[in-house]
Amino acid sequence: MIGITPTSAALRAGCAAARRFMPTSAAAPARTRRLFAAAASSSSNFSTVSLAYDLHKPEQPVHDEKTSPIIVMHGLFGSKKNNRTISRVLARDLGRSVYAVDLRNHGESPHDHRHDYTAMAADVADFIRQHNLKEPTLIGHSMGAKAAMTLSLQEPDLVANIVSVDNAPVDARLESDFARYIQGMKKIDAADVSRQAEADKILEPYEKSLTIRQFLLGNLHRSPAGEQKFRVPLNIIGKALDNLGDFPFKNPGDVRFLKPALFVRGTKSKYVPDEVIPLIGQFFPKFELVDVEAGHWLISENPEAFRRAVVEFLTPKE
């Protein structure tokens, strides 16, 4: 949907792309453990929020809902309802409970002036502790993917493994689409429209794709006065846009996640170019890479290929 351009610093390591790249990992150095502790400590300098969630339980569970659950995180302007179908399917196929969460400033979760990956990761860490979850898998798309990566590097003992969907641990520049969407959405809020069709007409000059407009308008809810208003705090998100392309960890030589990680990328997407694959391997030495014939919205564009990749990754190997 919206491309990103990796910065030159993130691309300093280059090599040919490999479909699956799994170098042997080494024990985490003492310096890495200290960095984990420092990152965790810094996250306590701000308030976390209690995340809204939907729990999808399997009909034939292999564990109770607290053991080896899956936590699914959406992207920017998304919500837990976008992941309802895939959450139910994974619960069915893996026999594991799936918690689909609303990240801060999205869906039904509380709003907070701070919106960055360190804060989002801290929210999810609190969610894991509050619900007494053991050995969870994190699955995140786009913004949710960077939140998952951040948490896995920040508090690796809290996470069993991760699935990053069409994003990479790299600083990048967001294209102008998001800022344009914010402008159109603010215009809708100011218009006090009562019907979604009216909102769509206002948004159309800012985005020609009906599919994308419908996705954005999914954030509307009816106010007590009967007007259609956006649930997401547009001013907060707007101010955060410049930082949402960044990744909080800069040096893969200092911090690594030494557990399994799956990176799923869309073949028609620009979010995970071949040039960043070496960087992924430095942060996540035990990673696997799977290409899915799709664009950035690969979970909805090719759900069966995504399902197969995740089920294969999470099925215990003999």
Side-chain angles (χ1 to χ4, degrees):
M1 172 176 147
I2 299 158
I4 59 171
T5 304
T7 61
S8 58
L11 302 180
R12 58 181 179 272
C15 74
R19 180 167 178 78
R20 293 189 182 274
F21 176 72
M22 299 181 65
T24 303
S25 61
R31 184 183 180 191
T32 299
R33 291 193 294 270
R34 289 196 299 272
L35 284 168
F36 285 146
S41 175
S42 67
S43 70
S44 64
N45 295 331
F46 56 87
S47 297
T48 57
V49 303
S50 183
L51 301 180
Y53 69 97
D54 288 336
L55 173 58
H56 303 275
K57 295 183 180 182
E59 291 185 3
Q60 298 179 325
V62 296
H63 304 291
D64 63 70
E65 65 188 54
K66 305 292 186 183
T67 303
S68 298
I70 297 170
I71 301 173
V72 181
M73 293 169 280
H74 57 81
L76 184 59
F77 295 127
S79 71
K80 61 183 185 299
K81 68 181 181 182
N82 300 130
N83 292 316
R84 188 174 297 151
T85 300
I86 192 63
S87 296
R88 290 170 176 167
V89 168
L90 292 177
R92 178 199 69 195
D93 291 352
L94 293 167
R96 297 165 60 176
S97 292
V98 179
Y99 294 80
V101 301
D102 282 336
L103 296 173
R104 62 170 49 205
N105 296 313
H106 286 73
E108 297 175 342
S109 285
H111 297 172
D112 188 88
H113 71 280
R114 179 165 177 171
H115 193 83
D116 56 42
Y117 294 115
T118 302
M120 284 182 262
D123 292 340
V124 178
D126 275 4
F127 181 87
I128 292 170
R129 294 189 177 98
Q130 289 165 4
H131 292 271
N132 297 314
L133 304 183
K134 306 175 185 67
E135 298 287 308
T137 291
L138 304 182
I139 299 179
H141 172 251
S142 196
M143 180 183 76
K146 279 193 171 178
M149 287 184 273
T150 299
L151 178 54
S152 69
L153 293 170
Q154 198 162 277
E155 299 193 63
D157 293 341
L158 211 56
V159 179
N161 45 48
I162 70 166
V163 178
S164 172
V165 185
D166 214 50
N167 216 334
V170 60
D171 284 347
R173 292 186 298 272
L174 291 179
E175 290 186 355
S176 59
D177 301 39
F178 283 119
R180 190 173 70 248
Y181 297 159
I182 292 283
Q183 291 175 1
M185 294 162 81
K186 284 183 175 180
K187 193 170 182 179
I188 291 169
D189 263 355
D192 295 334
V193 299
S194 59
R195 296 186 300 117
Q196 187 161 317
E198 297 174 84
D200 183 66
K201 188 173 182 179
I202 293 172
L203 191 59
E204 188 173 5
Y206 298 88
E207 174 52 58
K208 297 304 180 184
S209 168
L210 176 61
T211 301
I212 295 174
R213 295 201 308 273
Q214 289 176 334
F215 168 74
L216 295 170
L217 295 175
N219 288 284
L220 286 171
H221 73 108
R222 193 169 296 280
S223 73
E227 301 159 342
Q228 293 280 357
K229 298 293 184 181
F230 281 101
R231 196 183 295 270
V232 292
L234 297 175
N235 286 333
I236 292 174
I237 298 297
K239 291 177 182 177
L241 287 182
D242 288 342
N243 298 320
L244 285 179
D246 294 344
F247 189 66
F249 293 98
K250 309 302 181 185
N251 189 346
D254 289 339
V255 58
R256 291 176 295 167
F257 181 66
L258 302 177
K259 299 177 185 179
L262 174 65
F263 283 74
V264 185
R265 64 175 179 173
T267 56
K268 302 173 185 176
S269 172
K270 299 178 181 179
Y271 272 72
V272 189
D274 291 346
E275 294 93 329
V276 305
I277 293 176
L279 194 66
I280 293 173
Q282 292 176 59
F283 277 118
F284 300 92
K286 295 183 68 177
F287 88 98
E288 300 177 36
L289 177 65
V290 172
D291 288 337
V292 167
E293 192 68 21
H296 181 56
W297 301 97
L298 62 91
I299 297 177
S300 59
E301 292 177 45
N302 197 340
E304 176 56 21
F306 177 74
R307 182 200 67 82
R308 287 198 305 267
V310 174
V311 170
E312 179 182 349
F313 175 69
L314 294 178
T315 298
K317 310 298 187 291
E318 296 183 0

